Amino acid sequence: MRRDAFKVGVAKVKITPEGKVFLAGFNRNRISEGVHDDLYIRAVIIGDKSDKLALVSADLIGLFKDYTGPIREHIERTFNIKRSHIICCCTHTHSGPDTIGLWGPDCLTSGLNELYMRRLKEKFILAIYEALRNMQEAIIEYSWKWIEPRGIVRNTRDPHLVDRYLAVIRIRNLEEKSIATIVNFACHPEVLDNSNKLITSDYPYYLREYLENKLGGLAIFFNGALGGMLTPDVRLRSFSEAKKVGEKLGEEAIKALNNAHELEYTSMKVRYSTFKIPQRNEIFKNAFMRGLIKRRIFNDYIETEINLIHIGEISIASLPGEALPRVGMELRGGMNSRCKLILGLANDEIGYIIPSDAWDASKYEESMSLGSETADIILNEFYRLMARE
């Protein structure tokens, strides 16, 4: 046995709803009529000599901190993984079940399926359990590249600003067999539009299928700073176009791995912060009051959190919502490492995170944001964590 090898475990657990559900992401009262591809929770646990880090990606629109918090507390008690070392992200598919509450039959009725939400908690815990059972010594490689965005992503709010950064991590066992490939890129999973009534994870489905067929192991996708609006660059809203986007991203990920670096064995450093952000949005306030959104507000503030993680030359920052690309770029610029992952919709979904100097109350993203201070507060909190390094 090597003394200088990470231990890694991966797992996936199906979370496709049974029966019809309200679909999230576009107009209200969009009811599913079938399943194109199953939805999953995919988990990877990375361990060094003394600690474990759990990165989890779920094919869902988003989850509130009030929901992910108790799950992570349960995992900490049951499996002895620190709550601050567990990051539950959502891919942000726009053709999955409503897990926020905003897409029910009308503006007065939540779209949540309570039975599904209870069972979903069990699935998160099961994914961690299965990943822990599969832990084995592993080699970690990392890479990144700037991609050509045409045919993959465009920005409908600011056409001149597209985040082209693609980060990839490949994990192999000591026999060189692939365990997992992690891809981090910023783009809304909304190739399929409001007319689609089939449950699907959208282009991430094709991305993961492509990588698993080419490399083996489990492919896991983490979305990035996808707000603003980073949307698929497609001609048609079809599954064939989703396949093109997913496979193009897969090709870019494999190109990046052609220049991969092996991660030297090292201890993980995890910094974590909880803090409050003012809640200025009247739409959100009304939704809270009507019970559509099940989230606590403390005197017109909400509590959220961030993580800053270092594993040697890999840095990982978690964002609690949909940051505009400039926020992700500024954050990445302050991270001192070779490979930088920005995980969006991590442990929370607070809406759009918009730089204060780009705030325009007439635009859609602002109507789905807590307020103009949000991005500055989050970035300042990250810079505070970085100053402690």
Side-chain angles (χ1 to χ4, degrees):
M1 292 179 63
R2 286 177 54 170
R3 295 185 177 181
D4 60 345
F6 293 96
K7 284 195 171 181
V8 176
V10 300
K12 73 173 184 177
V13 175
K14 188 166 74 171
I15 57 170
T16 310
E18 297 177 4
K20 295 184 176 183
V21 292
F22 290 106
L23 296 175
F26 293 111
N27 294 341
R28 294 188 183 94
N29 200 33
R30 185 167 62 114
I31 301 171
S32 64
E33 296 179 353
V35 177
H36 175 270
D37 54 275
D38 284 313
L39 308 182
Y40 288 93
I41 292 170
R42 296 165 187 250
V44 56
I45 298 177
I46 302 172
D48 61 15
K49 292 176 182 176
S50 60
D51 249 330
K52 294 184 179 70
L53 171 70
L55 302 176
V56 187
S57 175
D59 290 322
L60 299 168
I61 190 79
L63 293 166
F64 291 133
K65 181 178 184 289
D66 300 61
Y67 186 87
T68 64
I71 294 172
R72 293 156 63 220
E73 289 167 5
H74 181 94
I75 291 169
E76 182 176 45
R77 290 193 305 269
T78 307
F79 303 118
N80 198 31
I81 303 175
K82 296 174 187 175
R83 183 180 185 274
S84 59
H85 290 50
I86 305 164
I87 303 182
C88 297
C89 299
C90 294
T91 63
H92 201 54
T93 177
H94 281 42
S95 294
D98 183 0
T99 51
I100 297 294
L102 293 176
W103 294 279
D106 54 58
C107 64
L108 300 176
T109 310
S110 171
L112 291 181
N113 181 314
E114 295 293 348
L115 177 59
Y116 177 80
M117 297 301 289
R118 288 196 297 272
R119 289 177 175 172
L120 184 62
K121 289 183 178 180
E122 298 169 1
K123 300 293 180 67
F124 273 100
I125 295 164
L126 178 60
I128 296 295
Y129 170 74
E130 293 290 347
L132 285 169
R133 282 205 318 150
N134 296 330
M135 295 281 284
Q136 59 183 300
E137 290 188 322
I139 299 164
I140 298 176
E141 296 178 320
Y142 64 89
S143 190
W144 62 272
K145 75 184 298 282
W146 303 105
I147 71 157
E148 166 54 55
R150 284 179 296 182
I152 296 177
V153 62
R154 60 191 176 94
N155 190 336
T156 58
R157 176 183 173 119
D158 185 351
H160 303 292
L161 183 61
V162 173
D163 191 348
R164 302 185 296 112
Y165 189 94
L166 173 75
V168 189
I169 297 172
R170 188 180 184 192
I171 304 168
R172 294 175 293 131
N173 63 21
L174 301 190
E175 287 74 46
E176 304 292 323
K177 184 179 179 181
S178 183
I179 297 172
T181 305
I182 298 170
V183 176
N184 178 218
F185 186 73
C187 181
H188 269 70
E190 56 180 14
V191 175
L192 283 304
D193 63 9
N194 191 60
S195 63
N196 174 60
K197 304 294 176 61
L198 297 179
I199 288 171
T200 176
S201 54
D202 208 275
Y203 74 81
Y205 165 69
Y206 296 102
L207 164 65
R208 295 179 305 220
E209 287 283 299
Y210 182 87
L211 291 174
E212 289 171 1
N213 289 333
K214 293 288 185 179
L215 303 176
L218 183 69
I220 307 173
F221 174 70
F222 290 93
N223 224 318
L226 74 170
M229 289 276 293
L230 293 185
T231 192
D233 182 27
V234 295
R235 294 179 295 105
L236 301 171
R237 298 294 181 175
S238 66
F239 284 104
S240 62
E241 290 288 287
K243 186 173 188 288
K244 288 179 183 178
V245 172
E247 292 188 349
K248 280 186 178 181
L249 266 180
E251 290 171 2
E252 294 289 348
I254 290 176
K255 288 178 185 176
L257 288 173
N258 290 333
N259 297 303
H261 304 271
E262 184 173 327
L263 182 66
E264 292 185 13
Y265 182 74
T266 183
S267 297
M268 293 181 291
K269 297 178 182 178
V270 178
R271 287 182 169 81
Y272 166 79
S273 177
T274 61
F275 52 96
K276 292 180 179 178
I277 298 177
Q279 200 303 102
R280 312 288 194 196
N281 190 313
E282 288 299 317
I283 296 174
F284 288 176
K285 185 176 181 180
N286 291 334
F288 296 143
M289 294 175 63
R290 294 197 302 267
L292 293 184
I293 294 179
K294 294 188 175 181
R295 178 178 199 125
R296 290 169 293 175
I297 305 179
F298 308 92
N299 298 321
D300 290 326
Y301 285 81
I302 63 101
E303 185 177 89
T304 193
E305 60 187 78
I306 58 170
N307 293 77
L308 184 62
I309 300 158
H310 295 292
I311 314 173
E313 290 297 318
I314 299 173
S315 292
I316 303 170
S318 70
L319 285 165
E322 302 170 59
L324 267 65
R326 205 183 89 199
V327 175
M329 291 172 178
E330 290 183 16
L331 177 55
R332 200 164 56 231
M335 296 163 71
N336 185 22
S337 62
R338 294 182 70 178
C339 183
K340 308 170 186 183
L341 280 70
I342 306 290
L343 308 186
L345 298 116
N347 292 330
D348 204 356
E349 163 59 308
I350 64 170
Y352 287 100
I353 302 168
I354 304 165
S356 57
D357 60 1
W359 186 268
D360 181 347
S362 68
K363 293 191 174 181
Y364 166 75
E365 290 86 1
E366 281 73 359
S367 73
M368 291 287 112
S369 173
L370 292 172
S372 60
E373 305 142 288
T374 302
D376 293 343
I377 291 170
I378 290 173
L379 284 172
N380 286 336
E381 198 66 22
F382 269 115
Y383 297 145
R384 188 180 67 81
L385 293 183
M386 291 174 186
R388 290 166 47 192
E389 296 176 359

